[in-house]
């Protein structure tokens, strides 16, 4: 086998501020019904489902991945639609990387959002993101995107292909420790999640 046969083609991509990736390899849509139990206000969530349907789009991920395994990257975009469920702003499910030491870069392409970050030992950060702003997420931080604006919040992300996602960690903890909610004056703030019972240890 020659070296040439083992080396993948470079990805030549176009990445729109609307999250569209030309030359991507796939992605997925997350539907509102799949986020049941993620928001703190169950009544407001069911009202949103009644209005938008179980299949209402919550967020879309497009990505380019050409190699698996250690050393490879996954590059993609996340497009999170705006809105609120009760006082809580629209959010992604959030995760800790299954290989918890794996880092990630997020770069805001459009919209206005917050990256909510927490460690299993109880540290918390909420970093605002507008176009041109990025968050370099180190390993060992649970992370979630939140849309605090009125337009789709679109970010470019890049992370190691062997990172994986541990989604159960947040569910088992009763949600993330902090909620990103309206401040009642057109902005956002954080407040403790009364359902949060603390994180278990990372799986790896
Ligand atoms: Ni991640």
């Amino acid at each position: 086998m020659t070296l040439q046969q083992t080396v993948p083609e470079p990805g030549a991509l176009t990445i729109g501020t609307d999250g569209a990736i030309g030359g991507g390899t796939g992605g997925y849509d997350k539907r509102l019904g799949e986020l049941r139990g993620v928001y703190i206000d169950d009544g407001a969530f069911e009202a949103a489902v009644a209005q938008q349907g179980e299949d209402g789009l919550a967020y879309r991920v497009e990505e380019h991945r050409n190699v698996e395994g250690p050393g490879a990257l996954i590059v993609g975009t996340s497009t999170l639609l705006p809105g609120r469920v009760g006082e809580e702003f629209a959010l992604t499910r959030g995760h800790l990387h299954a290989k918890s030491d794996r880092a990630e870069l997020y770069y805001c392409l459009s919209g206005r959002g917050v990256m909510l970050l927490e460690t299993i030992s109880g540290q918390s950060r909420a970093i605002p993101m507008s176009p041109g702003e990025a968050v370099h997420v180190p390993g060992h931080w649970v992370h979630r995107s939140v849309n605090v604006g009125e337009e789709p919040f679109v970010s470019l992300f890049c992370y190691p292909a062997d990172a994986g996602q541990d989604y159960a960690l947040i569910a088992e903890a009763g949600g993330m420790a902090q909620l990103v909610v309206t401040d009642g004056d057109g902005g956002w703030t954080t407040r403790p999640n009364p359902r949060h019972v603390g994180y278990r240890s990372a799986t790896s």
Side-chain angles (χ1 to χ4, degrees), residues 94-98 102-106 115 137 141-144 157-160 163-165 167:
H95 57 263
L96 181 68
H97 291 153
R102 299 305 196 255
E104 185 158 5
L105 171 71
Y106 285 87
M115 184 65 60
V137 180
W141 284 85
V142 176
H143 47 284
R144 154 183 291 168
F157 62 75
C158 182
Y159 67 100
Q165 285 93 7
Y167 295 107

Side-chain angles (χ1 to χ4, degrees), residues 1-8:
M1 188 180 288
T2 68
L3 182 61
Q4 197 163 9
Q5 286 171 309
T6 65
V7 174

